[in-house]
Amino acid sequence: MMSQSQSDVLSSLKKHIEKSPLDSTVKGYDLGCILNGYALMYKLTGDKFFFDQIKSYIDSVSFEKGNFDVFYLGLSISFLFDETKEDKYKDLAFCIKDRLLEFEGYIQKASCSDLIESIKEYMPFYVDFETRWNKKNGYNDICDKFKNAAELISRDKTSSISLEKRIGFLKTLVDSLSVLSIQIYEDYRLLEDILRQGIKELFFGQEDFDKALSLDCTDKMMSAYILYRSIKEGHVDAEKYESLARLLYDSALQKEDYNDPGYVGAFMMATAFCEEYMGCIYNLF
């Protein structure tokens, strides 16, 4: 039982963030993880500090043509629209959706490995946009892309698709499911089945389990996030995976890299779905 108050624990987290503010050196996937981590911590704690971090960053970003990093900002923009109801954030979401047409040309020419990577870039935003503002018209396309990617991973017998990319794909799936409408149950169940199968393939066998534990601390923390969120949102059974999630989480904490923004983002995301979150924040910061 932690003796320090909840407010003191949050203060420790804030001090770390203030010492390492987001800047132009944090890009792409790591940037998206940190912003999503802020959003989840805000929803968990109600502390406006985390909201202000997101708003300050998004309001400073250039959305110039060719900046594909904006795909990673999509869920944060939707978050700001939900919280503020300001139309400028909805307009930004439509601007990013238009960029997908430009990005499609790259996706069609991508190799198998790059295709998995590209889905990680834009898919959670794409799912969210179609759910919110396009009457779910893109759901067939979304399902086809996830099915194709899952088949590429399943057929990969030479390990050309790295373990890290497989983890990124599962993270993309669990994030996308969180904004997919369960009302379109057939599509929801399809993506949920792909997630379950991917988790089983990644962690079920002892050899795969050992590989997971040998990952760097950022990938282990991201794996813990995938499992914790999948458990919390009912995609997989806690009985099967909760002890593994905790093992990965604790193992990552033992070799944490505070200078890696991807790790800090993954930590906040995993912690938001960990029941002992305040103790975890205190241990890290």
Side-chain angles (χ1 to χ4, degrees):
M1 186 75 178
M2 190 176 60
S3 59
Q4 194 172 15
S5 70
Q6 187 180 84
S7 60
D8 287 341
V9 174
L10 281 177
S11 178
S12 297
L13 176 58
K14 291 176 187 178
K15 286 177 182 177
H16 176 85
I17 294 170
E18 287 167 349
K19 287 179 181 178
S20 306
L22 282 176
D23 57 30
S24 59
T25 64
V26 183
K27 299 180 182 294
Y29 185 65
D30 290 346
L31 174 61
C33 287
I34 286 203
L35 290 171
N36 288 345
Y38 289 160
L40 289 170
M41 292 305 296
Y42 174 72
K43 292 175 182 177
L44 187 68
T45 66
D47 193 307
K48 194 171 180 293
F49 172 83
F50 298 104
F51 169 86
D52 290 341
Q53 298 300 309
I54 300 171
K55 190 174 188 304
S56 175
Y57 185 83
I58 295 296
D59 287 349
S60 70
V61 170
S62 169
F63 286 81
E64 62 187 12
K65 187 175 181 179
N67 179 13
F68 291 132
D69 269 0
V70 297
F71 295 136
Y72 290 109
L73 309 181
L75 292 184
S76 297
I77 289 168
S78 296
F79 164 81
L80 288 174
F81 177 76
D82 287 342
E83 295 298 322
T84 68
K85 305 305 180 187
E86 293 182 23
D87 285 340
K88 68 176 182 178
Y89 296 117
K90 182 177 180 180
D91 293 341
L92 283 177
F94 275 79
C95 175
I96 295 174
K97 179 58 164 59
D98 290 341
R99 298 285 178 82
L100 281 177
L101 299 176
E102 183 182 347
F103 195 56
E104 279 288 339
Y106 164 75
I107 295 170
Q108 290 170 2
K109 299 175 184 177
S111 66
C112 292
S113 183
D114 287 340
L115 180 62
I116 305 301
E117 193 71 12
S118 68
I119 284 176
K120 185 175 75 175
E121 290 185 46
Y122 72 88
M123 190 59 82
F125 164 73
Y126 182 22
V127 176
D128 184 60
F129 185 92
E130 292 299 313
T131 302
R132 288 172 179 270
W133 290 306
N134 201 32
K135 300 180 180 178
K136 310 173 184 64
N137 288 329
Y139 272 26
N140 286 341
D141 181 53
I142 288 165
C143 289
D144 286 344
K145 283 183 166 61
F146 270 123
K147 281 194 297 185
N148 291 340
E151 287 170 3
L152 287 173
I153 291 173
S154 180
R155 293 200 305 264
D156 178 40
K157 305 302 182 184
T158 62
S159 298
S160 61
I161 302 172
S162 68
L163 195 59
E164 290 80 2
K165 287 188 177 181
R166 293 167 190 256
I167 291 168
F169 177 68
L170 294 180
K171 187 254 183 197
T172 302
L173 260 171
V174 76
D175 286 348
S176 297
L177 275 165
S178 73
V179 292
L180 188 79
S181 173
I182 198 171
Q183 294 176 348
I184 314 298
Y185 184 72
E186 184 177 346
D187 294 340
Y188 188 91
R189 184 58 188 268
L190 171 67
L191 297 197
E192 191 174 54
D193 286 345
I194 294 173
L195 175 65
R196 288 171 176 162
Q197 184 63 27
I199 288 174
K200 181 179 178 181
E201 290 176 356
L202 198 61
F203 299 116
F204 187 76
Q206 184 63 42
E207 182 180 346
D208 294 328
F209 180 77
D210 290 341
K211 285 180 182 178
L213 284 179
S214 69
L215 291 166
D216 66 33
C217 60
T218 300
D219 287 319
K220 279 191 281 194
M221 189 61 80
M222 189 59 73
S223 297
Y225 163 69
I226 292 164
L227 293 175
Y228 274 136
R229 185 161 198 169
S230 295
I231 291 167
K232 187 76 172 179
E233 297 185 347
H235 305 311
V236 298
D237 294 333
E239 185 177 343
K240 286 185 178 180
Y241 293 108
E242 192 162 28
S243 60
L244 173 57
R246 188 69 202 205
L247 183 62
L248 288 164
Y249 189 99
D250 289 343
S251 178
L253 281 180
Q254 290 172 12
K255 296 183 180 181
E256 68 277 351
D257 183 359
Y258 303 150
N259 295 317
D260 179 357
Y263 173 82
V264 176
F267 164 75
M268 287 191 289
M269 293 163 65
T271 300
F273 292 92
C274 174
E275 290 184 2
E276 300 173 275
Y277 70 93
M278 281 303 172
C280 296
I281 292 173
Y282 178 66
N283 288 335
L284 181 60
F285 296 106

